[in-house]
Amino acid sequence: MNQSEKRRKELLESARAMYRDNRVPPAVHPRYGNIYAELYGEEAPAGSLGLRVILCCILFAAFVMMDYKDMQIAQVSSQMVTQTIESDSELAEAWNDL
């Protein structure tokens, strides 16, 4: 490598260093958090998907148990839940029915 090539390489590296911005991470959509963490070594904020899935499974299991054993919880049966889901009603109307 001759002197001109070395000089070009030094100038290129100095230009890259001058325009590089290591202090401010780029804005990242939460959907791409894992990729961001892999590239930049920072942790993405934890989501609540696991908690929501567990809560949905518990509620579904309670509904199935209510239906199987013909139970009522807080004066609500599984048939009432099914009818409320199937009907096109407002939230206030459903709350008043309970």
Side-chain angles (χ1 to χ4, degrees):
M1 188 182 283
N2 61 22
Q3 288 291 11
S4 65
E5 290 175 344
K6 287 181 184 178
R7 179 71 179 142
R8 281 188 211 144
K9 186 176 179 179
E10 289 174 4
L11 289 173
L12 180 62
E13 289 174 2
S14 67
R16 285 181 179 166
M18 184 171 54
Y19 291 110
R20 187 176 304 142
D21 190 12
N22 291 336
R23 294 170 297 232
V24 180
V28 175
H29 190 277
R31 180 180 307 152
Y32 306 112
N34 291 334
I35 296 170
Y36 178 82
E38 288 176 9
L39 290 175
Y40 297 101
E42 295 180 13
E43 284 191 32
S48 64
L49 178 63
L51 180 64
R52 290 184 285 163
V53 168
I54 290 171
L55 181 64
C56 289
C57 290
I58 290 171
L59 291 173
F60 181 71
F63 172 76
V64 169
M65 184 181 69
M66 285 173 56
D67 191 38
Y68 183 71
K69 295 187 177 185
D70 292 327
M71 294 174 58
Q72 284 192 353
I73 298 177
Q75 291 80 30
V76 177
S77 66
S78 61
Q79 289 82 19
M80 290 174 65
V81 172
T82 305
Q83 289 172 356
T84 304
I85 292 172
E86 289 175 350
S87 68
D88 291 331
S89 63
E90 294 291 324
L91 179 61
E93 293 174 15
W95 185 257
N96 290 334
D97 290 342
L98 295 177

